[in-house]
Amino acid sequence: MQTLILIAQLLPALIAAIKAIEEAIPGAGQGEAKLAAVRGIIEAVDAGYKGLWPQIQPVIGVLVGLFNKTGAFKAAAGS
């Protein structure tokens, strides 16, 4: 339960990081690099979350899937 609470508290920061990276590097085809950037940011800010990465990564996948499905992320021109 503690992990769920920690990740729920982290959600606003995850969403902000995902959106910022998507804005900086829009479009498809760079998912792995974008995911690595989110991970790097999280670990740089608080190394304590490194141990939670196995739980955080699929949460990011759910969020990105939601953003893609709802059109929150617009495809880059020419992609």
Side-chain angles (χ1 to χ4, degrees):
M1 182 60 96
Q2 187 64 24
T3 300
L4 175 60
I5 292 168
L6 286 172
I7 292 177
Q9 292 172 334
L10 187 59
L11 277 177
L14 286 175
I15 291 168
I18 292 166
K19 287 184 174 183
I21 291 168
E22 184 62 28
E23 184 177 315
I25 308 167
Q30 298 296 321
E32 289 297 318
K34 293 174 187 180
L35 181 62
V38 173
R39 182 177 186 168
I41 291 165
I42 291 169
E43 291 177 1
V45 172
D46 189 338
Y49 283 102
K50 187 175 186 172
L52 291 176
W53 185 250
Q55 291 82 21
I56 294 171
Q57 184 174 354
V59 170
I60 291 171
V62 169
L63 292 170
V64 169
L66 174 65
F67 295 151
N68 286 332
K69 184 176 182 177
T70 61
F73 291 161
K74 306 297 180 206
S79 59

